[in-house]
Amino acid sequence: SKDLGFNKDNLIIMQLQDKDILSKTKAFKEELLLNPDILVVSNSNGVPGLINWIQTMRIEQPGGMEERAILLAKSDYDFARLLQLDFAEGRDFDKNMGTDALEAVIINQTAAENFGWGKDAIGKKIHYGFGQDKTGGRMLKVIGVVKDFHFKSLHNAIEPIVFFPEESQGYLLTCRIVPGTFEQTIHYIEQKWKSFGIKQPFNYKLMTASMDDMYEAENKIAIIIRITTFITIFIALLGLLGLSSFIAEQKTKEVGLRKVHGATVANILLLLYKDFARLILIAFVVAAPIAWWRLSIWLETTFIYFREPQWFAFVLAGALAFIIGLGSISFHIIRVASRNPVEAIKYE
């Protein structure tokens, strides 16, 4: 989970679409925090997977203030703690700092690099909410830089993003709960939801499910691949069974003669298995590089961020294919190897 740059586990997202609840958000949040199984609650206008608000802002540059279209996330003071974000520089929002409410802003590392600030981002200014004449709005000061995290899918490059505090204005309420307390915590939240007289039905979504929705196409592809793989393996095993039956019949007399001349069952099994093992190994040597190549191309063309295919996964697949392949032909081979040599020699 931390590979994404934040912890997505044990997070429950609720949408606040009822106008009445927006005025009660702070009280509702405080009520939820009375439950010891609810660790953090944050109100915001976006969470990873649901951050899409782009706003034109003016950022400090050597030649003056320069306009940029930047992703924006408004939240309360608990947003970074909710997602367990790590700070590269500076600090988090602090409600005890009177100036934070109107002047503080946090950016990600990509924003610091994209704006040309590098490691000198703390104290830089961002002008937000100005009019057409570039006046009005709020002049914000960068107080912290969070390490980059994936607020969109791995199909997308990490973009510059700006966070600033604005309590009880977001349409999302997100809770981090104690692991293993999901059922009772959801029941508690639902009861509080009803007690506040919220008109909209109580609905929630897990952060893990929200993130998984971004990979719906890949999930469908995975299902298709599983089905076709099963069918392919089934057909291949039928072929192996037929081939092993044919070879066993062809070698019946040879096996009988070898046993008469002192060959043991183990010797016979080794002889019969050897040819099949050679074929399976040749198939693996041919198929593995092609599979590696095609998988690498698919990853490169589908995702911006991905891990290279791991060699041990292919070795494991080859080992399983080897075991399944030899296991499927064992019935015919063992039957021939165990046959009475006298009957085998008479076999036509």
Side-chain angles (χ1 to χ4, degrees):
S1 183
K2 265 296 186 179
D3 288 345
L4 297 173
F6 73 99
N7 188 352
K8 68 177 181 178
D9 299 324
N10 305 303
L11 290 176
I12 299 170
I13 307 169
M14 294 166 282
Q15 289 197 3
L16 309 177
Q17 298 172 335
D18 188 337
K19 292 182 179 179
D20 184 49
I21 186 58
L22 291 176
S23 62
K24 303 175 182 177
T25 301
K26 188 174 181 180
F28 184 58
K29 172 182 172 178
E30 291 173 353
E31 193 72 21
L32 294 182
L33 288 171
L34 294 176
N35 188 331
D37 292 331
I38 299 177
L39 302 174
V40 189
V41 182
S42 179
N43 178 228
S44 65
N45 72 342
V47 292
L50 296 171
I51 297 179
N52 296 299
W53 186 5
I54 297 177
Q55 186 82 23
T56 300
M57 305 181 199
R58 301 171 71 216
I59 63 170
E60 183 179 340
Q61 293 290 283
M65 302 299 286
E66 180 181 304
E67 286 191 16
R68 296 279 186 93
I70 308 169
L71 274 170
L72 169 67
K74 294 182 180 180
S75 68
D76 57 21
Y77 293 89
D78 300 306
F79 189 75
R81 191 161 63 93
L82 173 86
L83 297 181
Q84 297 179 357
L85 300 179
D86 296 320
F87 277 78
E89 296 178 70
R91 62 175 178 84
D92 195 0
F93 297 125
D94 186 348
K95 61 181 66 178
N96 295 318
M97 298 287 289
T99 57
D100 278 9
L102 296 175
E103 298 178 7
V105 66
I106 292 173
I107 62 175
N108 64 347
Q109 287 176 309
T110 295
E113 294 298 327
N114 186 271
F115 300 162
W117 297 339
K119 294 185 178 180
D120 299 319
I122 304 301
K124 297 295 185 182
K125 294 178 181 179
I126 296 178
H127 190 190
Y128 166 77
F130 52 86
Q132 291 184 348
D133 59 356
K134 308 296 186 292
T135 61
R138 296 159 60 179
M139 187 63 73
L140 309 169
K141 182 174 68 174
V142 176
I143 64 165
V145 179
V146 294
K147 293 182 179 179
D148 282 336
F149 66 98
H150 294 276
F151 47 85
K152 291 187 177 181
S153 76
L154 298 180
H155 303 98
N156 307 103
I158 294 176
E159 302 173 47
I161 187 169
V162 169
F163 307 89
F164 65 81
E166 192 164 303
E167 292 201 89
S168 303
Q169 295 296 319
Y171 70 99
L172 296 176
L173 197 66
T174 310
C175 306
R176 179 172 293 281
I177 66 173
V178 173
T181 62
F182 177 75
E183 295 295 338
Q184 59 263 39
T185 305
I186 283 294
H187 179 72
Y188 175 85
I189 295 173
E190 185 173 11
Q191 294 304 311
K192 292 300 178 183
W193 183 275
K194 293 176 180 177
S195 70
F196 268 71
I198 303 172
K199 297 177 183 179
Q200 73 178 83
F202 173 68
N203 288 308
Y204 67 90
K205 195 166 192 175
L206 297 177
M207 174 70 76
T208 49
S210 179
M211 298 296 288
D212 288 344
D213 287 346
M214 296 190 289
Y215 305 99
E216 186 177 355
E218 286 72 28
N219 290 332
K220 290 180 179 178
I221 291 172
I223 293 172
I224 294 171
I225 289 175
R226 290 191 191 102
I227 294 172
T228 54
T229 300
F230 176 79
I231 294 172
T232 302
I233 291 174
F234 180 72
I235 293 172
L237 290 178
L238 286 179
L240 273 176
L241 284 171
L243 182 61
S244 64
S245 176
F246 174 75
I247 291 178
E249 295 293 324
Q250 293 292 313
K251 289 186 176 290
T252 299
K253 273 193 174 183
E254 179 186 342
V255 169
L257 288 170
R258 287 180 180 275
K259 293 184 75 173
V260 167
H261 285 84
T264 64
V265 173
N267 296 140
I268 301 300
L269 288 175
L270 181 61
L271 174 70
L272 296 176
Y273 274 126
K274 185 170 64 175
D275 291 335
F276 286 100
R278 187 183 298 114
L279 290 173
I280 294 172
L281 288 174
I282 291 172
F284 173 74
V285 170
V286 172
I290 296 174
W292 184 297
W293 172 60
R294 290 303 305 166
L295 180 58
S296 297
I297 289 176
W298 178 74
L299 288 171
E300 290 173 4
T301 55
T302 305
F303 299 98
I304 299 295
Y305 306 96
F306 61 90
R307 290 179 178 174
E308 292 291 341
Q310 301 296 306
W311 63 267
F312 62 82
F314 291 87
V315 173
L316 178 61
L320 288 174
F322 189 80
I323 293 169
I324 293 171
L326 293 186
S328 67
I329 63 176
S330 292
F331 172 75
H332 294 296
I333 287 179
I334 293 174
R335 188 184 66 173
V336 170
S338 305
R339 197 165 185 175
N340 187 307
V342 176
E343 292 179 3
I345 292 172
K346 290 180 179 180
Y347 180 80
E348 293 294 335

